[in-house]
mmCIF file of all heavy atoms in Angstrom:
data_model
loop_
_atom_site.group_PDB
_atom_site.id
_atom_site.type_symbol
_atom_site.label_atom_id
_atom_site.label_comp_id
_atom_site.label_asym_id
_atom_site.label_seq_id
_atom_site.Cartn_x
_atom_site.Cartn_y
_atom_site.Cartn_z
ATOM 1 N N TYR A 283 79.287 149.100 98.385
ATOM 2 C CA TYR A 283 78.761 149.570 99.668
ATOM 3 C C TYR A 283 77.237 149.414 99.716
ATOM 4 O O TYR A 283 76.478 150.378 99.767
ATOM 5 C CB TYR A 283 79.165 151.025 99.919
ATOM 6 C CG TYR A 283 80.657 151.220 100.033
ATOM 7 C CD1 TYR A 283 81.421 151.522 98.908
ATOM 8 C CD2 TYR A 283 81.311 151.073 101.247
ATOM 9 C CE1 TYR A 283 82.798 151.684 99.001
ATOM 10 C CE2 TYR A 283 82.680 151.241 101.364
ATOM 11 C CZ TYR A 283 83.427 151.540 100.237
ATOM 12 O OH TYR A 283 84.785 151.692 100.323
ATOM 13 N N VAL A 284 76.806 148.169 99.708
ATOM 14 C CA VAL A 284 75.394 147.846 99.625
ATOM 15 C C VAL A 284 74.720 148.024 100.976
ATOM 16 O O VAL A 284 75.297 147.715 102.027
ATOM 17 C CB VAL A 284 75.220 146.404 99.102
ATOM 18 C CG1 VAL A 284 73.754 145.983 99.099
ATOM 19 C CG2 VAL A 284 75.805 146.307 97.696
ATOM 20 N N GLY A 285 73.486 148.501 100.954
ATOM 21 C CA GLY A 285 72.730 148.763 102.169
ATOM 22 C C GLY A 285 72.084 147.514 102.735
ATOM 23 O O GLY A 285 72.438 146.384 102.378
ATOM 24 N N PRO A 286 71.100 147.687 103.639
ATOM 25 C CA PRO A 286 70.458 146.542 104.292
ATOM 26 C C PRO A 286 69.872 145.554 103.284
ATOM 27 O O PRO A 286 69.390 145.939 102.217
ATOM 28 C CB PRO A 286 69.347 147.194 105.130
ATOM 29 C CG PRO A 286 69.803 148.601 105.340
ATOM 30 C CD PRO A 286 70.562 148.979 104.113
ATOM 31 N N LEU A 287 69.925 144.271 103.634
ATOM 32 C CA LEU A 287 69.387 143.233 102.757
ATOM 33 C C LEU A 287 67.879 143.079 102.899
ATOM 34 O O LEU A 287 67.204 142.650 101.953
ATOM 35 C CB LEU A 287 70.060 141.886 103.060
ATOM 36 C CG LEU A 287 71.573 141.809 102.904
ATOM 37 C CD1 LEU A 287 72.060 140.393 103.229
ATOM 38 C CD2 LEU A 287 72.012 142.224 101.506
ATOM 39 N N ASP A 288 67.351 143.395 104.083
ATOM 40 C CA ASP A 288 65.945 143.108 104.364
ATOM 41 C C ASP A 288 65.118 144.369 104.614
ATOM 42 O O ASP A 288 63.989 144.283 105.091
ATOM 43 C CB ASP A 288 65.839 142.177 105.579
ATOM 44 C CG ASP A 288 66.573 142.712 106.790
ATOM 45 O OD1 ASP A 288 67.354 143.679 106.639
ATOM 46 O OD2 ASP A 288 66.388 142.173 107.896
ATOM 47 N N PHE A 289 65.651 145.535 104.286
ATOM 48 C CA PHE A 289 64.928 146.795 104.406
ATOM 49 C C PHE A 289 65.391 147.661 103.247
ATOM 50 O O PHE A 289 66.428 148.321 103.309
ATOM 51 C CB PHE A 289 65.221 147.457 105.757
ATOM 52 C CG PHE A 289 64.476 148.763 105.967
ATOM 53 C CD1 PHE A 289 63.093 148.797 106.000
ATOM 54 C CD2 PHE A 289 65.176 149.942 106.141
ATOM 55 C CE1 PHE A 289 62.412 149.993 106.193
ATOM 56 C CE2 PHE A 289 64.510 151.152 106.347
ATOM 57 C CZ PHE A 289 63.126 151.164 106.366
ATOM 58 N N THR A 290 64.639 147.628 102.159
ATOM 59 C CA THR A 290 65.106 148.199 100.901
ATOM 60 C C THR A 290 64.046 149.115 100.299
ATOM 61 O O THR A 290 62.850 148.954 100.561
ATOM 62 C CB THR A 290 65.430 147.089 99.892
ATOM 63 O OG1 THR A 290 64.216 146.421 99.525
ATOM 64 C CG2 THR A 290 66.409 146.075 100.479
ATOM 65 N N PRO A 291 64.445 150.062 99.449
ATOM 66 C CA PRO A 291 63.465 150.975 98.841
ATOM 67 C C PRO A 291 62.432 150.280 97.963
ATOM 68 O O PRO A 291 61.286 150.701 97.894
ATOM 69 C CB PRO A 291 64.331 151.942 98.028
ATOM 70 C CG PRO A 291 65.674 151.902 98.683
ATOM 71 C CD PRO A 291 65.838 150.490 99.171
ATOM 72 N N ALA A 292 62.830 149.213 97.256
ATOM 73 C CA ALA A 292 61.887 148.605 96.306
ATOM 74 C C ALA A 292 62.052 147.098 96.173
ATOM 75 O O ALA A 292 61.701 146.530 95.155
ATOM 76 C CB ALA A 292 62.035 149.260 94.938
ATOM 77 N N GLY A 293 62.613 146.451 97.191
ATOM 78 C CA GLY A 293 62.697 144.992 97.175
ATOM 79 C C GLY A 293 64.090 144.432 97.105
ATOM 80 O O GLY A 293 64.394 143.437 97.750
ATOM 81 N N GLN A 294 64.964 145.064 96.301
ATOM 82 C CA GLN A 294 66.320 144.562 96.155
ATOM 83 C C GLN A 294 67.303 145.420 96.953
ATOM 84 O O GLN A 294 67.128 146.639 97.043
ATOM 85 C CB GLN A 294 66.739 144.574 94.679
ATOM 86 C CG GLN A 294 65.988 143.575 93.800
ATOM 87 C CD GLN A 294 66.292 142.148 94.184
ATOM 88 O OE1 GLN A 294 65.600 141.562 95.019
ATOM 89 N NE2 GLN A 294 67.323 141.578 93.606
ATOM 90 N N PRO A 295 68.355 144.822 97.526
ATOM 91 C CA PRO A 295 69.388 145.636 98.179
ATOM 92 C C PRO A 295 70.029 146.593 97.167
ATOM 93 O O PRO A 295 70.172 146.249 95.985
ATOM 94 C CB PRO A 295 70.407 144.596 98.668
ATOM 95 C CG PRO A 295 69.669 143.299 98.676
ATOM 96 C CD PRO A 295 68.651 143.380 97.591
ATOM 97 N N VAL A 296 70.392 147.783 97.627
ATOM 98 C CA VAL A 296 70.919 148.804 96.719
ATOM 99 C C VAL A 296 72.245 149.339 97.225
ATOM 100 O O VAL A 296 72.530 149.353 98.435
ATOM 101 C CB VAL A 296 69.926 149.978 96.550
ATOM 102 C CG1 VAL A 296 68.596 149.487 95.992
ATOM 103 C CG2 VAL A 296 69.722 150.736 97.856
ATOM 104 N N SER A 297 73.054 149.818 96.285
ATOM 105 C CA SER A 297 74.276 150.529 96.634
ATOM 106 C C SER A 297 73.909 151.848 97.309
ATOM 107 O O SER A 297 72.984 152.546 96.886
ATOM 108 C CB SER A 297 75.108 150.793 95.377
ATOM 109 O OG SER A 297 76.173 151.686 95.661
ATOM 110 N N LEU A 298 74.654 152.194 98.354
ATOM 111 C CA LEU A 298 74.408 153.455 99.058
ATOM 112 C C LEU A 298 75.129 154.634 98.425
ATOM 113 O O LEU A 298 74.947 155.772 98.850
ATOM 114 C CB LEU A 298 74.846 153.316 100.518
ATOM 115 C CG LEU A 298 74.153 152.213 101.330
ATOM 116 C CD1 LEU A 298 74.593 152.285 102.784
ATOM 117 C CD2 LEU A 298 72.636 152.307 101.218
ATOM 118 N N VAL A 299 75.923 154.386 97.398
ATOM 119 C CA VAL A 299 76.696 155.450 96.759
ATOM 120 C C VAL A 299 75.812 156.197 95.765
ATOM 121 O O VAL A 299 75.148 155.576 94.922
ATOM 122 C CB VAL A 299 77.924 154.883 96.034
ATOM 123 C CG1 VAL A 299 78.771 156.017 95.460
ATOM 124 C CG2 VAL A 299 78.766 154.037 96.983
ATOM 125 N N ASP A 300 75.801 157.524 95.871
ATOM 126 C CA ASP A 300 75.091 158.367 94.915
ATOM 127 C C ASP A 300 75.959 158.483 93.672
ATOM 128 O O ASP A 300 77.001 159.143 93.686
ATOM 129 C CB ASP A 300 74.835 159.740 95.522
ATOM 130 C CG ASP A 300 74.005 160.643 94.620
ATOM 131 O OD1 ASP A 300 73.809 160.304 93.430
ATOM 132 O OD2 ASP A 300 73.566 161.711 95.099
ATOM 133 N N LEU A 301 75.560 157.829 92.589
ATOM 134 C CA LEU A 301 76.399 157.785 91.393
ATOM 135 C C LEU A 301 76.617 159.170 90.794
ATOM 136 O O LEU A 301 77.644 159.424 90.150
ATOM 137 C CB LEU A 301 75.771 156.854 90.355
ATOM 138 C CG LEU A 301 76.679 156.383 89.224
ATOM 139 C CD1 LEU A 301 77.845 155.569 89.773
ATOM 140 C CD2 LEU A 301 75.900 155.554 88.218
ATOM 141 N N LYS A 302 75.661 160.068 91.011
ATOM 142 C CA LYS A 302 75.802 161.424 90.470
ATOM 143 C C LYS A 302 76.835 162.225 91.250
ATOM 144 O O LYS A 302 77.537 163.072 90.682
ATOM 145 C CB LYS A 302 74.447 162.138 90.506
ATOM 146 C CG LYS A 302 74.408 163.440 89.736
ATOM 147 C CD LYS A 302 72.988 163.988 89.673
ATOM 148 C CE LYS A 302 72.913 165.259 88.846
ATOM 149 N NZ LYS A 302 71.511 165.760 88.742
ATOM 150 N N ARG A 303 76.938 161.955 92.558
ATOM 151 C CA ARG A 303 77.889 162.669 93.420
ATOM 152 C C ARG A 303 78.577 161.668 94.354
ATOM 153 O O ARG A 303 78.328 161.668 95.570
ATOM 154 C CB ARG A 303 77.180 163.735 94.247
ATOM 155 C CG ARG A 303 76.401 164.757 93.420
ATOM 156 C CD ARG A 303 75.739 165.783 94.331
ATOM 157 N NE ARG A 303 74.852 166.659 93.591
ATOM 158 C CZ ARG A 303 73.575 166.426 93.359
ATOM 159 N NH1 ARG A 303 73.023 165.302 93.830
ATOM 160 N NH2 ARG A 303 72.830 167.273 92.676
ATOM 161 N N PRO A 304 79.396 160.778 93.830
ATOM 162 C CA PRO A 304 80.006 159.752 94.690
ATOM 163 C C PRO A 304 80.951 160.362 95.728
ATOM 164 O O PRO A 304 81.829 161.160 95.392
ATOM 165 C CB PRO A 304 80.764 158.868 93.696
ATOM 166 C CG PRO A 304 80.969 159.725 92.487
ATOM 167 C CD PRO A 304 79.810 160.661 92.424
ATOM 168 N N ASP A 305 80.733 160.016 96.982
ATOM 169 C CA ASP A 305 81.569 160.491 98.079
ATOM 170 C C ASP A 305 82.689 159.468 98.286
ATOM 171 O O ASP A 305 82.533 158.497 99.031
ATOM 172 C CB ASP A 305 80.716 160.639 99.341
ATOM 173 C CG ASP A 305 81.481 161.230 100.511
ATOM 174 O OD1 ASP A 305 82.730 161.267 100.452
ATOM 175 O OD2 ASP A 305 80.838 161.625 101.500
ATOM 176 N N LEU A 306 83.819 159.694 97.640
ATOM 177 C CA LEU A 306 84.903 158.715 97.686
ATOM 178 C C LEU A 306 85.671 158.763 98.999
ATOM 179 O O LEU A 306 86.453 157.851 99.284
ATOM 180 C CB LEU A 306 85.848 158.920 96.501
ATOM 181 C CG LEU A 306 85.211 158.685 95.126
ATOM 182 C CD1 LEU A 306 86.249 158.879 94.021
ATOM 183 C CD2 LEU A 306 84.591 157.294 95.034
ATOM 184 N N ASP A 307 85.470 159.792 99.809
ATOM 185 C CA ASP A 307 86.049 159.779 101.153
ATOM 186 C C ASP A 307 85.297 158.784 102.032
ATOM 187 O O ASP A 307 85.892 158.039 102.815
ATOM 188 C CB ASP A 307 85.985 161.178 101.780
ATOM 189 C CG ASP A 307 86.928 162.153 101.110
ATOM 190 O OD1 ASP A 307 87.983 161.711 100.600
ATOM 191 O OD2 ASP A 307 86.603 163.352 101.065
ATOM 192 N N ARG A 308 83.980 158.752 101.881
ATOM 193 C CA ARG A 308 83.150 157.829 102.664
ATOM 194 C C ARG A 308 83.137 156.433 102.055
ATOM 195 O O ARG A 308 83.055 155.435 102.789
ATOM 196 C CB ARG A 308 81.732 158.379 102.739
ATOM 197 C CG ARG A 308 80.800 157.583 103.648
ATOM 198 C CD ARG A 308 79.461 158.277 103.762
ATOM 199 N NE ARG A 308 78.580 157.589 104.691
ATOM 200 C CZ ARG A 308 77.330 157.973 104.967
ATOM 201 N NH1 ARG A 308 76.843 159.064 104.393
ATOM 202 N NH2 ARG A 308 76.594 157.292 105.820
ATOM 203 N N TYR A 309 83.209 156.361 100.725
ATOM 204 C CA TYR A 309 83.127 155.081 100.023
ATOM 205 C C TYR A 309 84.343 154.926 99.092
ATOM 206 O O TYR A 309 84.194 154.927 97.861
ATOM 207 C CB TYR A 309 81.831 155.002 99.208
ATOM 208 C CG TYR A 309 80.574 155.276 99.994
ATOM 209 C CD1 TYR A 309 79.784 156.397 99.713
ATOM 210 C CD2 TYR A 309 80.151 154.417 101.001
ATOM 211 C CE1 TYR A 309 78.612 156.640 100.415
ATOM 212 C CE2 TYR A 309 78.979 154.653 101.713
ATOM 213 C CZ TYR A 309 78.222 155.770 101.417
ATOM 214 O OH TYR A 309 77.060 156.011 102.116
ATOM 215 N N PRO A 310 85.536 154.812 99.634
ATOM 216 C CA PRO A 310 86.750 154.861 98.799
ATOM 217 C C PRO A 310 86.847 153.730 97.784
ATOM 218 O O PRO A 310 87.397 153.934 96.687
ATOM 219 C CB PRO A 310 87.889 154.804 99.819
ATOM 220 C CG PRO A 310 87.278 154.200 101.053
ATOM 221 C CD PRO A 310 85.862 154.665 101.068
ATOM 222 N N ARG A 311 86.351 152.535 98.100
ATOM 223 C CA ARG A 311 86.482 151.424 97.159
ATOM 224 C C ARG A 311 85.585 151.584 95.936
ATOM 225 O O ARG A 311 85.736 150.846 94.957
ATOM 226 C CB ARG A 311 86.185 150.083 97.846
ATOM 227 C CG ARG A 311 87.176 149.695 98.927
ATOM 228 C CD ARG A 311 87.006 148.230 99.341
ATOM 229 N NE ARG A 311 85.633 147.895 99.675
ATOM 230 C CZ ARG A 311 85.069 148.098 100.877
ATOM 231 N NH1 ARG A 311 85.784 148.642 101.862
ATOM 232 N NH2 ARG A 311 83.808 147.759 101.102
#
């Protein structure tokens, strides 16, 4: 569930899933 390609926190596209608290209802895959 990767975020925008051209608007990123530090240059690279990032996963929107919080690994510490993954919301599997919102991001089931």
Side-chain angles (χ1 to χ4, degrees):
Y283 297 91
V284 176
L287 301 181
D288 54 348
F289 181 62
T290 67
Q294 292 295 91
V296 301
S297 170
L298 301 185
V299 184
D300 184 348
L301 197 62
K302 191 173 183 178
R303 303 180 188 89
D305 184 345
L306 296 182
D307 290 330
R308 186 175 184 181
Y309 307 115
R311 295 193 309 276

